[in-house]
Amino acid sequence: RNYTKGGPISVVAGDANAFASTGGDVFVSAGNGTSTDYGDGGNGGTIRIHGGHAHGQSIIDSGGKIIINAGGAAVGNGGDLIVSSGISYTGSSGDVSLNSPSSGSHGVSG
């Protein structure tokens, strides 16, 4: 079969319109490695978010974006954007990496 568009998945929390209310949260969590075995107790699961890959051969065929926006506010402060690595109680904390790959021969790196 040929498909012109893959099926979307949308998760939207509910709105709240009552006085002093808060819109619904969206929480996504990977599974825990809950074994306490000293040899190899297992690892926590990974959450992966990937934009779609463009396979077209045209200059206008771009990979899908990943957009992360904190919430805005009409009067109060806008929402914070927090990126944290994982804590270790005995070893090193996880790395934080932000990367913009090198550009092609006719572009500039982000």
Side-chain angles (χ1 to χ4, degrees):
R1 291 185 189 187
N2 292 321
Y3 297 99
T4 59
K5 184 169 183 168
I9 295 176
S10 178
V11 178
V12 179
D15 294 337
N17 62 6
F19 175 77
S21 62
T22 302
D25 293 337
V26 174
F27 181 82
V28 177
S29 179
N32 299 309
T34 59
S35 171
T36 58
D37 184 83
Y38 286 100
D40 187 354
N43 303 316
T46 299
I47 295 177
R48 299 174 194 264
I49 301 173
H50 295 272
H53 185 90
H55 291 273
Q57 301 298 306
S58 171
I59 190 86
I60 63 171
D61 297 325
S62 299
K65 296 177 183 175
I66 295 176
I67 301 171
I68 301 173
N69 294 309
V75 177
N77 296 331
D80 295 332
L81 179 60
I82 300 169
V83 178
S84 298
S85 66
I87 189 171
S88 172
Y89 296 101
T90 57
S92 300
S93 63
D95 292 335
V96 174
S97 299
L98 298 175
N99 186 35
S100 177
S102 298
S103 66
S105 61
H106 293 87
V108 295
S109 181

